[in-house]
Amino acid sequence: MRYTERITLYEALSSGYNPETGQHGFRVDEGTTLPCNVSPMSIEKVKTVFGSTDQFVTTVRLQRPFKGNADKATIDGNKYNVLRHVRHRSESVFYLEEVSAWN
């Protein structure tokens, strides 16, 4: 398995109304960039695991276990919400859903 992609994992710090911009904002930490393997999940497996066919889920595997908490992620400038983080002894697996903006 090749780990040629790069993922940046973020932990959510806070969210709320920003009076300067007049919109609800979302703050995250500086992020951790790691090498990963990215693969899309089939619709049948998404239905089996998550119970819905209207989600597009991407599976991301890391070479080593990720011990921190991650709520958000970016890959090639695309934003993702972390649906599930599975910690194995030798690796970590993230199930991500692509979103246009974090909320």
Side-chain angles (χ1 to χ4, degrees):
M1 188 176 308
R2 296 180 60 189
Y3 296 92
T4 57
E5 302 286 331
R6 295 289 184 262
I7 185 171
T8 304
L9 298 168
Y10 299 97
E11 183 176 358
L13 298 177
S14 67
S15 65
Y17 181 74
N18 186 351
E20 294 175 3
T21 61
Q23 298 178 353
H24 286 280
F26 196 87
R27 287 186 4 171
V28 294
D29 64 353
E30 67 275 353
T32 305
T33 303
L34 300 166
C36 65
N37 175 275
V38 178
S39 60
M41 204 179 219
S42 69
I43 293 176
E44 292 82 19
K45 188 163 182 178
V46 170
K47 185 175 181 183
T48 303
V49 174
F50 296 102
S52 175
T53 58
D54 60 347
Q55 290 180 317
F56 295 102
V57 179
T58 302
T59 305
V60 174
R61 290 176 180 81
L62 303 178
Q63 287 178 317
R64 309 243 187 301
F66 183 74
K67 298 186 186 206
N69 294 327
D71 301 320
K72 311 292 180 189
T74 58
I75 302 171
D76 294 332
N78 298 329
K79 294 182 177 185
Y80 294 88
N81 285 332
V82 175
L83 297 176
R84 187 176 293 165
H85 176 198
V86 180
R87 294 172 174 97
H88 296 290
R89 185 171 42 166
S90 61
E91 69 174 359
S92 283
V93 179
F94 287 92
Y95 295 101
L96 308 176
E97 180 181 27
E98 187 171 2
V99 293
S100 59
W102 289 331
N103 49 13

